[in-house]
Amino acid sequence: MPSRRTVLAGGAAVLAAPLASHADVRPLRFGVVADPQYADADPHLGMDRYFRNSLDKLRVAVAAFNAEDLDFVVTLGDVIDRDVANYAAILPIYATLRHRHVVLLGNHDYSIAPEHLTSQLGLLGLAEAHYDYTEGGIRFVVLDGNDVSLFAPPQGDPRWQIAQDRINRLAAQGAENANPWNGSLGDKQFAWLGGVLGDARARGQRVIVLNHYPVFPANPHNMWDSDRITALLEGQPHVVAYFCGHNHAGNYGEAAGLHYVNFHGMVDTPAENAYAIVELAGDRLDIRGFGREPNRSLRLRTA
């Protein structure tokens, strides 16, 4: 991480440039699910993962979301664990949502036969794996952390060799996140991210970044290029939060007034669930957690 990084115990940083007033904007409310990772497979007891149980857990979460007035629901990746056929069991549960479903791809969404590696976008109703949208005056930026990885690029794609070079370089440095289940952004997507953040700043929009993979605090599950991502985000004071999954144990950190929230994996434990409802109003972001997901009340950067 950059040496200039400081982790704050609480409070908010001041924006470098004025943004539009948020005092009179209605609360934005959305549901969050991370890592359902459904598979028609026996539990992995050593990792505390109960793949089949995710169907009933997701039904409970969807019922809770449907009882609320939400703007959308987001799944932060790993809808399935293996075999593209598993989408056929879990997607009908998502279809019962009365809210828009925003979905990301995780590494386990690529744990499928090579001939299906490009099928997930269509199955999940996505035009692209990375994209952005605006809801309630907030710009949401969805990243594709699988872009440069050892599992997502098809055979012969130059991104695979770039991925091999990146993980080898990290391994030589003894980096704890030099693991084959992590990924990184391609340079083209990284440039796109910078452009979207610049556009949001010009429009006076706050930004929340959504990704499957964490980037902070330091963790074995972090993206290979987490340093350049956090450096970019820290230089964009209108970016207020970064939400992710992937690390099923959950995590949280704050740096330069930016909140990094790693949501717990739904697939873990035999029966205890994990999902959340987020409300953003004024200069507060409140997370109401269910099951293993804790409650959080976070103060946002202010203009």
Side-chain angles (χ1 to χ4, degrees):
M1 296 291 175
S3 59
R4 63 185 174 82
R5 178 184 299 284
T6 55
V7 180
L8 307 180
V14 178
L15 287 172
L19 293 180
S21 173
H22 306 285
D24 299 324
V25 177
R26 71 171 181 84
L28 176 72
R29 304 179 77 243
F30 57 96
V32 178
V33 173
D35 302 85
Q37 213 167 306
Y38 167 72
D40 184 12
D42 293 336
H44 190 308
L45 300 180
M47 300 185 74
D48 201 23
R49 294 182 183 173
Y50 295 78
F51 306 104
R52 292 190 181 99
N53 299 20
S54 286
L55 294 185
D56 284 339
K57 289 180 182 180
L58 186 62
R59 289 187 185 100
V60 170
V62 167
F65 295 149
N66 284 344
E68 302 270 353
D69 182 16
L70 304 179
D71 293 279
F72 61 90
V73 171
V74 60
T75 298
L76 295 168
D78 282 2
V79 175
I80 62 165
D81 182 76
R82 70 199 75 167
D83 192 346
V84 71
N86 287 315
Y87 284 116
I90 196 168
L91 292 183
I93 300 174
Y94 280 113
T96 65
L97 273 171
R98 69 182 185 90
H99 311 293
R100 175 189 178 189
H101 183 211
V102 176
V103 64
L104 289 66
L105 290 170
N107 55 307
H108 285 276
D109 292 301
Y110 285 93
S111 298
I112 58 179
E115 62 266 26
H116 296 303
L117 278 179
T118 58
S119 66
Q120 302 97 322
L121 293 178
L123 287 167
L124 295 171
L126 296 173
E128 300 287 346
H130 66 273
Y131 54 98
D132 68 288
Y133 64 97
T134 301
E135 190 71 58
I138 305 294
R139 190 80 161 262
F140 288 86
V141 182
V142 176
L143 298 181
D144 174 22
N146 312 291
D147 188 9
V148 174
S149 66
L150 296 176
F151 43 82
Q155 187 173 8
D157 192 306
R159 290 175 298 164
W160 189 91
Q161 186 58 54
I162 296 172
Q164 191 68 66
D165 293 342
R166 286 182 179 179
I167 193 172
N168 288 344
R169 186 162 54 250
L170 287 171
Q173 298 167 0
E176 64 177 339
N177 62 329
N179 297 307
W181 59 80
N182 296 330
S184 56
L185 302 185
D187 290 343
K188 183 177 180 180
Q189 185 182 172
F190 185 76
W192 169 86
L193 170 61
V196 173
L197 296 182
D199 182 70
R201 181 74 180 270
R203 295 173 185 268
Q205 296 174 319
R206 280 175 160 165
V207 173
I208 294 177
V209 178
L210 306 174
N211 192 8
H212 178 62
Y213 301 88
V215 292
F216 180 80
N219 188 273
H221 295 83
N222 283 9
M223 293 187 70
W224 297 333
D225 57 344
S226 56
D227 283 359
R228 70 168 178 171
I229 295 172
T230 54
L232 174 62
L233 298 181
E234 284 183 18
Q236 305 284 342
H238 56 303
V239 181
V240 296
Y242 179 105
F243 288 172
C244 65
H246 190 52
N247 175 13
H248 294 197
N251 207 350
Y252 170 77
E254 181 184 353
L258 174 57
H259 299 285
Y260 297 87
V261 184
N262 188 157
F263 290 84
H264 289 67
M266 177 177 276
V267 71
D268 296 66
T269 79
E272 192 173 12
N273 216 333
Y275 60 96
I277 291 176
V278 176
E279 179 170 312
L280 194 156
D283 296 323
R284 297 215 66 83
L285 189 155
D286 294 310
I287 300 174
R288 176 157 47 107
F290 296 81
R292 294 165 53 242
E293 191 61 52
N295 296 329
R296 302 184 192 275
S297 185
L298 307 174
R299 184 181 173 194
L300 302 180
R301 310 181 192 197
T302 57

